[in-house]
Amino acid sequence: MSTLSIRAVEKWYGALHVLRGVDLDVEKSQTVCIIGPSGSGKSTLLRCTNLLVAPDGGEILLDGVRVNSPSIRPEWVRQQIGMVFQSFHLFTHLTALRNVTLGLVRVKKLDRTAAEAKALQELERVGLGAKLHAYPAQLSGGQQQRVAIARALAMDPKILLFDEPTSALDPEYIREVLDVMAQLAKDGMTMVVVSHEMSFAREVADRIVFFDQGQVVEQGTPEEIFDRPGHDRTKAFVGKILR
Amino acid sequence: MAAPSIHPGGTPAPVTMRPASRWTRAAVLARALRVGIGVAATLAGYGFIVWLGTVGVYNLAYAKGLVPALWQGFVLSVLIVAVVIPIGFAVGFFVGWARTLRNPIVRGLASVYVDFFRSMPPIVLIAFAFLLGLIALRTTIADPFLLHWIILWLGVLALAFHTAAYQAEIVRAGILSVPSSQSEAAQSLGLTRGQTMLRVVLPQAFRVSLPALGNEFSSVIKDTSLLSVIGWLELSGLALVQIYSGILVYPLAPVVIWLEVAVFYFAITFALNSSVRVLENSFKVPGLEAARL
Ligand SMILES: Nc1ncnc2c1ncn2[C@@H]1O[C@H](COP(=O)(O)OP(=O)(O)O)[C@@H](O)[C@H]1O
Ligand SMILES: [Mg+2]
C-alpha cells in the first residue's frame, strides 16, 4: 500500500481549472520530485494533499485511508503530513525552539519538558542545536528553512511535502538545505519535493514527475525523465531547466 | 528538581535556559532617566505652584483644601476607568475578531455594532443610556436610590460600548496585519483554527495593535468626564460642584480647580500609558525592530 495515493484530484479556482484529474502514488521511504512550469498547479496539489485547500473532486489516501472526507478532521490529517514552504513561514514571534515545540505541545499534547527534548533533537538533526533561542528574524534564510524542516519533522509525519524549499534562498544557503533533505531521504523519510534543483533531483529522487497544466504528464526515474523524456512538453521543459 | 535534559550527545543541553533579557543596559538606563526626569519635573512644577501661592498669586489655603475635596472624585474616576477599559476591551476584542471571521452573519452583526457606536458622540450615548434606562426601569424598580445607581452605571456601560467600537477596529487591523501564511503554517502542523488564532495570530496582532490601543485608552479616560452630565460626581462632576460653591469664596477658584483636576487626569493617563509601554516592550521580537531612519 502506498503511503500517499492521489486519485483523480480536481481543483477549480472560480473558472480556472487548476488540477485536472491528478493521479500520483508515493511509496513508503520514497522521494518523489515534482517538476513543471510555474502556474501549472504544483503548489495547489501539495496544498490539496494536506487539505489546506479542499479538493473539488477525487481522493487523497493516506496509508490507504481516504482523508478528504467529511468524517475526518483535517487537523488529524495535517498532523501526519509535514509541509515545508518556499518562504519558510516560521512563526515570527517565537524562538526556533518554540516554533518546534508549538505543535508538540498543542497538537501532540506533550508536556513542555518532553516537547523541548524532542525539539532539541530535531533542531540538532538539521544542524541548529546552537540556535535554539534565536528568533526567525535573527536567522539566515537557510537557517530559517532548516528550522521549518525541524518543525515539520518533530510531528513525526508519515510524509513530508516540500514546496520549492530553496527557491527563496540566496545561492550560498541552498546547499545546506538540500543536504538536510538528502540526509532525510537517506534516513528513509517519505517525501514529495517540488523543486528544480537538478543535483537534488538526479541524486536523491527515486522518481521524477513532470507536471503541466494541472496534470501529471510523465513520470519515471531521473534518467528516464532528464535523459530520455517521452513527451514533447517534457522535452521542452527539461531542455529549459537543464540549459 | 533539575529539568532533565535529554540530549543525544550526552552533554547537558541548555534547553530550559530562557533567552537573555530583552532589556539591554542602554534601554534600562534610558528608562531610568525618563522616570527620573518625570519625577524631577513634577517636583519642580509642584514647588513652583506652591511658590505662586505663597507670593499671593492665588489663594494657597483654598487650593490645599481642595485636594481632599477632589480626592473622592479622583477615586471614582479611577473606578470608572477600571470598569470602562476592561469591558470596552473585552467587547472590542470579540467584535474586532468577529469582523475577521468568514461567517457573514457574525461579521455583519459586528459591522453594525461598530458603525452604530462610532456614529454617535459619546455624550449622546451616555445621555440615552441614562434616559432610556430611567424610562424602562422607573416602574419596575421602586427604590429610587437603586434606580439611580443602576442608570448611572448604564451611562458607564454606554461609554464602554463606545470605546469598544474603536478598539474593535484596532484589534481587527492587528489581526489583518498577520499574513495568512502564518495561519497556514500553524494549520499545517495540525493546530485547530482556535489554537491558530490564540497561539499564532493574536500574539502577532497585539504587537501591532498595542500603540493604537494605548491611544484609545487615554482617550476614553478623558471621555469619562462626560459622565458628569448625567450626575456622576467623578473628577469633572465634583469640579463643577466645587466651582459653584468656591466661586463665592474666591473668584479665581475655577482656575485652581481645573488645574488640580488636570493633574489628577494626568496621573491616571500617565499610569495607564506607562503600563501599556511596559506591555509593548514585552511583545517586542528581537530582530524584528521597526525601521529607524
Ligand atoms: N488561492 C487562489 N485563488 C485563485 N487562483 C489561484 C489560487 N492559488 C493559485 N491560483 C492559480 O492556480 C494556478 C496554479 O497555481 P500554483 O498551484 O501556485 O502553481 P505552481 O505552484 O505550479 O506555480 C495559477 O494560475 C494560480 O494563479
Ligand atoms: Mg508554486
Side-chain angles (χ1 to χ4, degrees), chain A residues 13 16 18 36-45 47 163-164 211:
Chain A
Y13 278 123
L16 188 66
V18 182
S38 170
S40 58
K42 307 179 297 296
S43 298
T44 305
L45 179 63
R47 293 154 62 83
D163 192 359
E164 306 207 36
F211 197 82

Side-chain angles (χ1 to χ4, degrees), chain A residues 47 50 52 75 78-79 81 85 89-93 102 106-107 109 116 120 124 133 135 137-138 151 155, chain B residues 7-8 13-17 22 181-182 184-191 195 199-200 203-204 285-287:
Chain A
R47 293 154 62 83
N50 80 346
L52 266 184
E75 289 86 16
R78 293 187 200 121
Q79 171 185 353
I81 300 181
F85 301 89
H89 300 345
L90 290 183
F91 306 126
T92 60
H93 62 303
L102 182 67
R106 302 295 159 193
V107 180
K109 311 286 182 201
E116 287 184 350
L120 177 66
E124 283 187 334
H133 302 304
Y135 283 83
Q138 298 172 313
R151 177 175 71 177
M155 302 299 289
Chain B
H7 190 270
V15 223
T16 46
M17 193 186 80
R22 296 165 184 185
S181 55
Q182 289 286 308
E184 278 178 6
Q187 291 189 285
S188 294
L189 291 174
L191 269 76
Q195 288 174 325
R199 306 290 165 188
V200 174
Q204 300 187 60
V285 176

Side-chain angles (χ1 to χ4, degrees), chain A residues 63-227:
Chain A
D63 278 343
V65 179
R66 178 173 171 165
V67 294
N68 59 327
S69 132
S71 60
I72 289 188
R73 288 171 55 239
E75 289 86 16
W76 180 80
V77 180
R78 293 187 200 121
Q79 171 185 353
Q80 303 178 70
I81 300 181
M83 181 82 141
V84 175
F85 301 89
Q86 182 171 350
S87 313
F88 335 131
H89 300 345
L90 290 183
F91 306 126
T92 60
H93 62 303
L94 299 177
T95 60
L97 185 70
R98 290 277 168 269
N99 262 274
V100 182
T101 55
L102 182 67
L104 295 171
V105 172
R106 302 295 159 193
V107 180
K108 294 217 145 184
K109 311 286 182 201
L110 296 190
D111 67 43
R112 200 157 281 290
T113 317
E116 287 184 350
K118 172 78 172 161
L120 177 66
Q121 188 187 328
E122 300 301 346
L123 282 165
E124 283 187 334
R125 191 166 169 189
V126 299
L128 288 173
K131 292 286 183 187
L132 302 182
H133 302 304
Y135 283 83
Q138 298 172 313
L139 296 171
S140 74
Q143 290 171 331
Q144 289 188 56
Q145 192 61 298
R146 285 185 285 146
V147 173
I149 293 173
R151 177 175 71 177
L153 275 176
M155 302 299 289
D156 289 326
K158 290 190 170 130
I159 184 165
L160 264 183
L161 312 178
F162 293 80
D163 192 359
E164 306 207 36
T166 58
S167 300
L169 292 178
D170 290 335
E172 63 203 286
Y173 299 131
I174 291 179
R175 191 76 255 161
E176 64 192 48
V177 171
L178 291 180
D179 285 346
V180 165
M181 291 166 60
Q183 186 59 45
L184 291 180
K186 211 179 282 173
D187 295 346
M189 187 45 125
T190 312
M191 306 200 285
V192 177
V193 183
V194 173
S195 175
H196 296 141
E197 289 295 336
M198 289 309 296
S199 62
F200 181 86
R202 268 197 192 273
E203 289 153 30
V204 180
D206 300 295
R207 187 151 46 97
I208 307 293
V209 172
F210 175 59
F211 197 82
D212 192 18
Q213 295 173 14
Q215 281 173 323
V216 173
V217 176
E218 185 175 358
Q219 49 182 309
T221 62
E223 293 72 35
E224 284 167 346
I225 298 298
F226 294 132
D227 304 334

